[in-house]
Amino acid sequence: MRTSKQESTTVSSFLIKKATWKSIFILFGLIIVFNLFVFPLVYKTNQNIVPLDLHFSYSPEKAYTILSKYSDEGLREYVIGELTVDIVYPMVYVLFLSFFIFKLTKKNSLSSFPLQIFILDCFENIGIVTLVNYFPQKLPNIVLLSSLFTSLKWILIGMSILLILILVVAKLFKQKKKT
């Protein structure tokens, strides 16, 4: 059985090896590729519909209004995207955020904070896939749960970006103070 100290050491050694500026730039490049090319390719049928995952939150009424805009093919496409691309993409942006924070702080506790986003994103995807698979049957409790995961995901993403900005400004201020 692994202890939390062993797990912390494993995370630390992973971050020390992998959290390089090169990795951060590659991950940032992948984020751009996903947004400019992969998502438009995967979600080509209904590009004019904003998927549930991109809303901050949604009520059952709003969720079903959005889902009703999709064609049958669009709903199939949505499920396939949620179970493929939208599993890989969170790994990319979560590693980007974690590596960036680690590079700025060298602290496991802060750099592992964005990893929670991946878990929330997975639960969000499970909820959305469930909603789509049962559509047009309405599952308001699943909508509310999915919306909660979506909102928490966006809050943690915002907090991670804010943390990075604060750390960058603090480093710049510290460097300016030295000169």
Side-chain angles (χ1 to χ4, degrees):
M1 179 178 230
R2 295 177 82 147
T3 65
S4 63
K5 187 172 182 166
Q6 288 171 321
E7 288 172 1
S8 176
T9 304
T10 303
V11 170
S12 181
S13 62
F14 172 77
L15 289 169
I16 289 167
K17 288 179 190 173
K18 302 295 182 186
T20 64
W21 288 115
K22 180 181 177 182
S23 296
I24 291 166
F25 287 118
I26 289 169
L27 290 166
F28 184 71
L30 286 173
I31 290 169
I32 292 169
V33 167
F34 267 90
N35 283 288
L36 293 179
F37 304 107
V38 176
F39 286 125
L41 184 65
V42 172
Y43 297 110
K44 62 183 172 271
T45 303
N46 296 299
Q47 289 185 13
N48 57 336
I49 302 171
V50 178
L52 294 173
D53 346 40
L54 296 184
H55 291 267
F56 180 76
S57 67
Y58 39 90
S59 66
E61 296 78 25
K62 184 176 181 179
Y64 287 109
T65 298
I66 291 167
L67 291 178
S68 68
K69 293 178 182 179
Y70 285 93
S71 64
D72 288 342
E73 182 183 343
L75 288 171
R76 279 191 299 279
E77 194 176 81
Y78 195 5
V79 167
I80 291 167
E82 289 293 299
L83 295 175
T84 56
V85 175
D86 205 29
I87 297 292
V88 177
Y89 181 65
M91 287 184 213
V92 171
Y93 76 76
V94 162
L95 284 174
F96 169 77
L97 294 169
S98 279
F99 286 6
F100 208 144
I101 291 168
F102 183 78
K103 201 67 178 154
L104 295 169
T105 65
K106 301 293 188 221
K107 294 183 181 173
N108 288 350
S109 56
L110 286 176
S111 54
S112 61
F113 170 71
L115 300 177
Q116 298 168 44
I117 298 167
F118 180 74
I119 295 164
L120 292 168
D121 208 310
C122 287
F123 283 131
E124 170 195 57
N125 291 350
I126 291 167
I128 291 170
V129 167
T130 302
L131 294 174
V132 172
N133 282 335
Y134 280 88
F135 186 76
Q137 181 182 346
K138 296 187 177 184
L139 306 170
N141 291 333
I142 300 295
V143 173
L144 294 173
L145 201 53
S146 296
S147 181
L148 174 65
F149 292 133
T150 301
S151 297
L152 291 172
K153 172 191 79 172
W154 284 115
I155 289 167
L156 290 183
I157 289 170
M159 289 171 63
S160 297
I161 292 169
L162 183 61
L163 176 61
I164 288 169
L165 292 173
I166 290 169
L167 291 168
V168 167
V169 168
K171 271 200 181 289
L172 292 173
F173 185 73
K174 191 175 179 182
Q175 286 177 345
K176 187 175 182 177
K177 211 172 180 180
K178 284 182 180 178
T179 57

